[in-house]
Amino acid sequence: MSTETSTGGAGTARPRTPSAPDAATSGTGALRTRARRTGGRRRGGGRTGMAAGILLTPFFVLFTIAMLIPVGYAIWLSLFTQKLSGLGFSGPHSVFDGLGNYVATLGDAAFRDGFRVLAGYVVCYIPIMVGGALVIALLLDTALARARRFFQLALFLPHAIPGLIAALIWVYLYTPGLSPVVDAMRSGGIGLDFFSSNGALPSVVNIALWEWLGYNVVIFYASLQAVDRSLLEAAAVDGAGNWRQAWSIKLPLIRSSVFLVLLFTVIGSLQLFTEPLLLSGSGSAITSTWTPNLYAYAEAFQLGDYGRAAAASVLIALVAAVLSFAVTKLANRKGARS
């Protein structure tokens, strides 16, 4: 752009207006600069997207192999049933049955009774698990530093033990004549049969609590450590005690963690399998179809009806998806209100 000046009659310098070619040159340069910047951003965005795709590819490959393909195969298998052809000399063969396995599974009283048992388990287990873990985490958050370390380790150690080993330990502790706990209780006049029809469900709930309580305590405690301490100090100055701070400040701020633990606990409850399976072989009232997962296991590996077992598994997955959706919607609604 030209910067020449012209002198008026009074000797005052005045800037000369740019000519049309100068203005065109200036506009073209601005457009070129803008195009270079836009092109650079596009190239940068393309490189970022390519890098993200490369990093996410292993996850999607493993997710497809370990999740999508097995689920798809289970759905496909649930649509077939085993039938004998002719006089039965050629052995059973697969026949497309549509939704027949689903109808038969839902019509089986043993499968429905398993969900009734599971409902009782959820009613007993989830409030104690979530509420107990939350109370313990709040107590640890107000305790001395040394006590925190000790109780964190003591509560988390049971979770480090595999579920199979933990169930075997508790089978030993529940068995009369072997368990020192049962013998001590009986010597004190307390007679409890952990394998009876009334004691089987509390026995399984106790094992699950022992395994998972410390894990959820760690999640809640980590969330409590992220709470802004200036809010607690201000509440203490206003005269709020520990329980008032916990109810009015801490709990609202860790609501997302509470719903996360609730979601995991609901899904884990529907996967109840190892503990009742081991207790079922100890003369207890737990049968081979005591829970829906045990029902699917018995259909597949005891009766050899893989189509029925796949249908039961798909139905269990659908129930888990519905409950997970309900918990997520409840969490989003609570978050929107707050």
Side-chain angles (χ1 to χ4, degrees):
M1 184 174 64
S2 176
T3 57
E4 297 178 2
T5 59
S6 60
T7 306
T12 304
R14 293 178 300 175
R16 189 172 65 85
T17 303
S19 62
D22 292 337
T25 303
S26 176
T28 303
L31 290 175
R32 289 177 180 176
T33 303
R34 187 180 305 171
R36 285 196 298 269
R37 293 176 180 176
T38 305
R41 286 197 297 268
R42 289 178 179 175
R43 287 193 296 270
R47 288 194 295 267
T48 302
M50 183 180 298
I54 293 174
L55 293 175
L56 290 175
T57 297
F59 165 76
F60 285 112
V61 171
L62 292 176
F63 181 76
T64 301
I65 295 175
M67 187 68 181
L68 296 182
I69 293 178
V71 170
Y73 180 69
I75 296 174
W76 173 260
L77 192 63
S78 67
L79 302 177
F80 293 85
T81 186
Q82 298 290 326
K83 291 186 178 180
L84 297 176
S85 60
L87 298 176
F89 296 109
S90 60
H93 64 285
S94 297
V95 177
F96 182 78
D97 196 26
L99 300 178
N101 285 323
Y102 293 95
V103 174
T105 301
L106 291 173
D108 194 341
F111 185 71
R112 298 195 303 270
D113 291 340
F115 274 102
R116 293 190 185 97
V117 172
L118 196 60
Y121 173 83
V122 167
V123 169
C124 296
Y125 172 67
I126 292 182
I128 300 175
M129 169 60 74
V130 178
L134 191 56
V135 170
I136 293 175
L138 289 171
L139 290 175
L140 288 177
D141 191 51
T142 56
L144 297 176
R146 294 181 181 178
R148 293 175 186 172
R149 299 289 184 181
F150 171 76
F151 283 109
Q152 285 180 33
L153 181 61
L155 290 169
F156 189 78
L157 275 179
H159 179 71
I161 300 175
L164 180 64
I165 305 301
L168 289 174
I169 293 173
W170 282 101
V171 168
Y172 166 76
L173 293 176
Y174 288 155
T175 303
L178 295 177
S179 171
V181 177
V182 174
D183 294 341
M185 292 173 61
R186 289 188 174 180
S187 63
I190 302 175
L192 292 178
D193 188 357
F194 294 100
F195 299 131
S196 64
S197 57
N198 295 326
L201 183 61
S203 299
V204 174
V205 170
N206 177 64
I207 297 174
L209 288 172
W210 186 79
E211 291 178 313
W212 289 97
L213 184 66
Y215 177 82
N216 293 325
V217 167
V218 171
I219 294 178
F220 287 143
Y221 180 74
S223 300
L224 288 171
Q225 292 301 296
V227 174
D228 189 358
R229 296 296 155 177
S230 62
L231 297 176
L232 302 179
E233 293 173 358
V237 171
D238 292 338
N242 290 330
W243 287 110
R244 183 63 178 176
Q245 294 177 23
W247 182 259
S248 301
I249 299 177
K250 295 180 180 180
L251 286 181
L253 292 177
I254 65 169
R255 183 183 290 112
S256 59
S257 298
V258 174
F259 280 104
L260 177 66
V261 170
L262 179 61
L263 177 62
F264 288 165
T265 306
V266 169
I267 296 175
S269 299
L270 293 174
Q271 297 175 353
L272 182 64
F273 176 75
T274 304
E275 295 82 2
L277 178 64
L278 291 179
L279 292 179
S280 64
S282 305
S284 65
I286 298 177
T287 62
S288 59
T289 59
W290 197 65
T291 65
N293 283 320
L294 286 177
Y295 177 90
Y297 177 82
E299 289 290 335
F301 300 107
Q302 295 180 7
L303 302 178
D305 193 344
Y306 296 103
R308 180 78 70 85
S313 301
V314 173
L315 291 173
I316 296 171
L318 288 176
V319 173
V322 170
L323 291 178
S324 301
F325 177 78
V327 173
T328 304
K329 288 290 290 184
L330 180 62
N332 293 335
R333 185 176 302 175
K334 293 290 185 181
R337 289 180 180 178
S338 60

